[in-house]
């Protein structure tokens, strides 16, 4: 099962990235929480956390402890 996690996480990253680039998630807006993403995409908490880590590494979101994860301004 562990081998599937990166693929699932990447699918989630692709979808959230598309929402950000398409303007559905504006800079400063909060992305859905872990439980919402787990339910919507049918994935585990580990997959959601990996996807959020990848989104952070790409500079698309910023996690704020206790507040959630927010979309960053696009870098130019």
């Amino acid at each position: 099962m562990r081998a599937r996690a990166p693929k699932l996480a990447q699918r989630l990253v692709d979808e959230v990235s598309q929402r950000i680039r398409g303007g559905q998630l504006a800079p400063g807006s909060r992305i859905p929480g872990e439980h919402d993403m787990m339910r919507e995409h049918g994935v585990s908490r580990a997959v959601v956390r990996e996807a959020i880590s990848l989104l952070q590494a790409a500079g698309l979101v910023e996690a704020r402890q206790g507040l959630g994860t927010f979309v960053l301004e696009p870098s130019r």
Side-chain angles (χ1 to χ4, degrees):
M1 184 158 198
R2 195 156 179 97
R4 295 182 138 200
K7 291 181 182 182
L8 292 174
Q10 188 58 53
R11 267 194 8 222
L12 191 52
V13 167
D14 293 344
E15 182 168 325
V16 174
S17 298
Q18 186 177 25
R19 287 183 186 180
I20 291 170
R21 292 188 176 105
Q24 293 168 316
L25 291 170
S29 67
R30 186 176 178 273
I31 67 169
E34 283 183 0
H35 291 286
D36 293 332
M37 292 178 98
M38 289 167 54
R39 201 171 22 249
E40 181 181 344
H41 299 282
V43 296
S44 69
R45 172 176 273 160
V47 169
V48 172
R49 289 184 174 182
E50 177 66 17
I52 290 171
S53 292
L54 292 169
L55 289 164
Q56 284 182 281
L60 295 173
V61 300
E62 173 186 52
R64 299 179 193 155
Q65 188 170 357
L67 297 174
T69 304
F70 296 83
V71 178
L72 294 174
E73 290 285 339
S75 57
R76 302 208 186 259

